[in-house]
């Protein structure tokens, strides 16, 4: 098979090729560890803050996070099935629906979002080193800002140091990432229990936030407004992992069996995410007693610790951010960039490109102007990626009946080439799924520039991921209905 597939270097290289039996080393506990490793991260920890600040009680915030992750688990398992069955990455799977050339659209969309997050997370990691080094030295470090950059020399060095730490794993590939996630997941769980014990001991309990009712109850500040807050919050929470819902085949292609990827992901995502939200609420509740105010930022909390606790906090936060950033924001774009020009770009080269973009984009400048819109960003790109998920699911399950001819995914004259490599139905369905959410996104992100957006578009944007996945699925299904889809028995190799 490898000789047949490798004939077209415009669509094939060793990294994009189906995984061999020897490469299928991931068992269910590796997937569970992968998700525990990715879930236990600073952005996920602070998600609960946005919900409680929006008026929810601690219980409502935790339940919202859990429901959102239970929802996003479904497309993950559905799309992940193809990765395990055929050993192919997301960028190659997309060829079955978008065409061998058209698949570059979903690959590029996923890569752009991931590059943005990779740079931002790298800046967060560098900021942790900078903040906690200052605490350990007992004085502010860094000096004057560098002209043109807007940050001081020490901030730049910390950013580059964290960037370099991650670069090691780019060079050493997927297996090194699997080992990192497997070994760090138990450590993160242990640290969570240690943190709970620490705040309970220091505060003499778990603090007042746990007893605080939601603001939506009768007589509250936002009485009767629960659902208008819940739905956009749920969409944002779904959007948090919407990128992984697409490129999950990049991981499941290494699974031993379907059972391993299904059990591993089911165990590793919804429950740990809900527990992390509960941990965030409990710990932050205790900080009200300890420091007189709610501290949702774990870096800020760590900076208030003293002695050896600061060093331990630094190491834990660094390991946490490295493991999350590599799995969530490197693996996907590395394969996606490789799929754009397989002859010239390997998985490793794709990783270099991602890391390079993270450097030149100067993420601290992006955060200066967009930090206030972080959840607009989450909903916004969920509106972009939801339609792609809808197309992939309909194509794989309802059009193909889970049957793919792998060799033709690597041929520009095969059944997945459609018309000059493009499947018009997928492109139209994608555009149809994205368009209704654009007015709402523009209004949410730039209200001063787009104040006149109608109420209907604002409502649609509230459900952006759901609207996008539903519309694209229906449009694609209708356009593909009646078209002759060759079965494996009728396709000639």
């Amino acid at each position: 098979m490898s000789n047949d597939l490798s004939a077209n270097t415009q669509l094939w290289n060793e990294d994009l090729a189906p995984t061999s039996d020897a490469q299928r080393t991931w068992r269910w506990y590796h997937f569970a560890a992968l998700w525990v490793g990715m879930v236990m991260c600073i952005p996920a920890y602070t998600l609960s803050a946005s919900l409680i600040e929006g008026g929810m009680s601690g219980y409502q915030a935790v339940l919202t996070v859990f429901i959102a992750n239970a929802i996003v688990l479904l497309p993950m398992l559905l799309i992940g099935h193809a990765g395990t069955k055929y050993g192919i990455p997301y960028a190659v799977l997309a060829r079955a629906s978008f065409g061998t050339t058209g698949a570059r659209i979903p690959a590029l969309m996923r890569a752009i979002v991931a590059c943005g997050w990779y740079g931002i997370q790298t800046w967060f990691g560098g900021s942790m080193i900078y903040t906690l080094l200052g605490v350990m030295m007992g004085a502010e470090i860094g000096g004057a800002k560098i002209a043109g950059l807007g940050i001081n020399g020490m901030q730049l060095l910390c950013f580059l140091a964290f960037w370099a730490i991650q670069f090691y794993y780019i060079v050493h590939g997927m297996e090194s990432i699997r080992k990192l996630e497997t070994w760090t997941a138990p450590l993160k769980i242990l640290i969570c229990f240690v943190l709970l014990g620490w705040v309970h001991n220091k505060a003499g309990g778990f603090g007042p936030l746990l007893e605080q009712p939601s603001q939506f109850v009768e007589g509250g500040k936002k009485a009767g407004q629960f659902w208008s807050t819940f739905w956009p919050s749920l969409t944002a929470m779904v959007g948090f992992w919407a990128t992984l819902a697409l490129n999950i085949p990049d991981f499941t292609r290494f699974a031993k069996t379907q059972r391993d990827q299904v059990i591993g992901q089911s165990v590793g995502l919804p429950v740990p995410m809900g527990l992390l939200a509960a941990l965030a609420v409990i710990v932050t509740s205790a900080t009200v007693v300890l420091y007189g105010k709610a501290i949702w930022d774990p870096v800020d909390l760590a900076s208030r610790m003293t002695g050896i606790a600061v060093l331990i906090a630094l190491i834990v936060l660094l390991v946490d951010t490295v493991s999350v950033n590599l799995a969530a924001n490197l693996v996907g774009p590395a394969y996606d960039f490789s799929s754009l020009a397989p002859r010239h770009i390997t998985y490793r080269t794709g990783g270099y490109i991602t890391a390079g973009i993270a450097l030149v984009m100067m993420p601290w400048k992006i955060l200066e102007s967009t930090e206030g819109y972080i959840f607009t960003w989450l909903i916004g790109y969920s509106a972009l990626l939801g339609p792609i998920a809808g197309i992939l699911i309909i194509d794989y399950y309802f059009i193909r009946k889970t049957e793919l001819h792998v060799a033709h995914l690597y041929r520009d004259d095969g059944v997945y080439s459609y018309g000059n490599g493009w499947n018009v139905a997928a492109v139209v369905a994608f555009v149809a799924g994205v368009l209704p959410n654009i007015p709402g996104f523009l209004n949410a992100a730039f209200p001063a520039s787009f104040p006149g957006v109608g109420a209907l578009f604002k409502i649609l944007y509230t459900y952006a991921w759901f609207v996008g996945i539903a519309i694209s699925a229906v449009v694609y299904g209708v356009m593909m209905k009646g078209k002759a889809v060759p079965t494996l028995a009728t396709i000639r190799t």
Side-chain angles (χ1 to χ4, degrees):
M1 179 179 288
S2 61
N3 291 333
D4 181 38
L5 300 182
S6 62
N8 189 344
T9 55
Q10 295 296 331
L11 296 172
W12 180 95
N13 64 29
E14 290 184 357
D15 296 308
L16 295 176
T19 49
S20 64
D21 289 340
Q23 292 175 297
R24 290 173 175 264
T25 58
W26 290 51
R27 303 309 302 259
W28 72 267
Y29 45 85
H30 293 124
F31 285 100
L34 172 75
W35 276 112
V36 169
M38 289 195 292
V39 161
M40 302 294 178
C41 66
I42 291 172
Y45 181 99
T46 56
L47 282 178
S48 300
S50 69
L51 301 181
I52 290 182
E53 287 170 4
M56 291 188 183
S57 66
Y59 169 77
Q60 289 171 333
V62 171
L63 188 60
T64 300
V65 171
F66 176 80
I67 292 173
N69 285 274
I71 290 172
V72 82
L73 176 65
L74 181 59
M76 282 186 180
L77 295 178
L78 292 175
I79 296 174
H81 182 278
T84 301
K85 185 172 182 178
Y86 297 105
I88 54 176
Y90 155 71
V92 173
L93 172 63
R95 293 172 184 172
S97 51
F98 281 82
T100 49
T101 303
R104 292 171 182 171
I105 291 179
L108 198 56
M109 294 294 176
R110 169 67 180 92
I112 290 172
V113 170
C115 284
W117 273 115
Y118 188 85
I120 290 169
Q121 287 275 34
T122 301
W123 172 248
F124 283 159
S127 297
M128 290 173 214
I129 299 176
Y130 178 80
T131 300
L132 296 178
L133 280 180
V135 173
M136 293 173 68
M137 296 177 68
E140 189 172 337
I141 59 176
K145 293 182 178 180
I146 301 172
L149 290 183
I151 57 176
N152 64 48
M154 200 63 188
Q155 284 177 305
L156 178 60
L157 287 176
C158 290
F159 173 70
L160 293 175
F162 192 77
W163 183 90
I165 291 170
Q166 297 175 116
F167 199 80
Y168 167 88
Y169 292 94
I170 298 176
V171 173
H172 289 82
M174 277 290 293
E175 187 63 15
S176 66
I177 294 175
R178 179 185 69 84
K179 291 179 179 178
L180 174 70
E181 298 292 348
T182 303
W183 285 104
T184 58
L187 172 65
K188 290 185 178 185
I189 295 173
L190 175 63
I191 291 300
C192 286
F193 284 106
V194 171
L195 187 58
L196 278 176
W198 179 77
V199 297
H200 188 275
N201 180 59
K202 294 281 286 186
F206 286 134
L209 286 185
L210 298 182
E211 302 170 3
Q212 182 176 305
S214 78
Q215 297 177 26
F216 306 115
V217 297
E218 189 174 343
K221 292 181 181 179
K222 299 183 178 181
Q225 300 178 37
F226 175 76
W227 294 111
S228 63
T229 300
F230 172 78
W231 286 112
S233 298
L234 185 71
T235 305
M237 299 303 109
V238 169
F240 190 75
W241 292 122
T243 52
L244 267 295
L246 280 183
N247 77 283
I248 197 64
D250 296 342
F251 297 94
T252 60
R253 65 195 297 244
F254 296 99
K256 280 272 188 183
T257 65
Q258 290 290 356
R259 180 176 179 273
D260 285 312
Q261 72 100 357
V262 170
I263 293 178
Q265 294 201 82
S266 299
V267 169
L269 176 58
V271 173
M273 195 75 182
L275 291 176
L276 180 69
L279 171 74
V281 172
I282 292 170
V283 172
T284 304
S285 179
T287 63
V288 176
V289 177
L290 292 174
Y291 305 108
K293 65 176 183 177
I295 300 173
W296 287 97
D297 183 354
V299 178
D300 186 6
L301 177 59
S303 71
R304 295 167 187 265
M305 297 177 180
T306 56
I308 191 65
V310 177
L311 180 60
I312 294 173
L314 171 63
I315 294 172
V316 170
L317 289 172
L318 287 179
V319 170
D320 167 60
T321 306
V322 168
S323 63
V324 172
N325 208 22
L326 291 172
N329 303 317
L330 174 75
V331 174
Y335 281 122
D336 295 337
F337 284 127
S338 180
S339 72
L340 299 180
R343 179 187 297 177
H344 306 290
I345 305 176
T346 62
Y347 168 84
R348 188 173 296 172
T349 305
Y352 297 157
I353 293 172
T354 304
I357 292 175
L359 275 180
V360 301
M361 71 186 291
M362 293 191 285
W364 54 90
K365 287 188 174 292
I366 293 177
L367 288 173
E368 283 177 5
S369 59
T370 63
E371 193 166 21
Y373 297 121
I374 191 67
F375 286 98
T376 298
W377 166 243
L378 283 174
I379 298 177
Y381 77 65
S382 78
L384 193 67
L385 302 183
I388 299 174
I391 293 167
L392 294 185
I393 292 170
I394 292 296
D395 184 79
Y396 183 64
Y397 285 94
F398 294 93
I399 306 300
R400 314 287 169 192
K401 311 296 184 184
T402 74
E403 288 191 355
L404 297 176
H405 195 293
V406 176
H408 281 242
L409 292 170
Y410 299 87
R411 287 173 51 171
D412 52 17
D413 61 347
V415 296
Y416 307 117
S417 61
Y418 298 96
N420 296 319
W422 293 83
N423 182 8
V424 175
V427 176
V428 171
F430 172 69
V431 173
V434 171
L435 278 179
N437 289 309
I438 291 179
F441 169 76
L442 293 175
N443 175 257
F446 313 103
S449 301
F450 299 91
V453 173
L456 175 61
F457 288 111
K458 292 180 182 179
I459 293 173
L460 287 176
Y461 184 67
T462 299
Y463 308 93
W465 186 83
F466 300 97
V467 169
I469 197 171
I471 291 177
S472 66
V474 171
V475 171
Y476 185 76
V478 169
M479 291 188 71
M480 290 296 289
K481 187 177 181 181
K483 287 191 176 182
V485 178
T487 63
L488 292 183
T490 62
I491 297 177
R492 294 185 300 170
T493 58

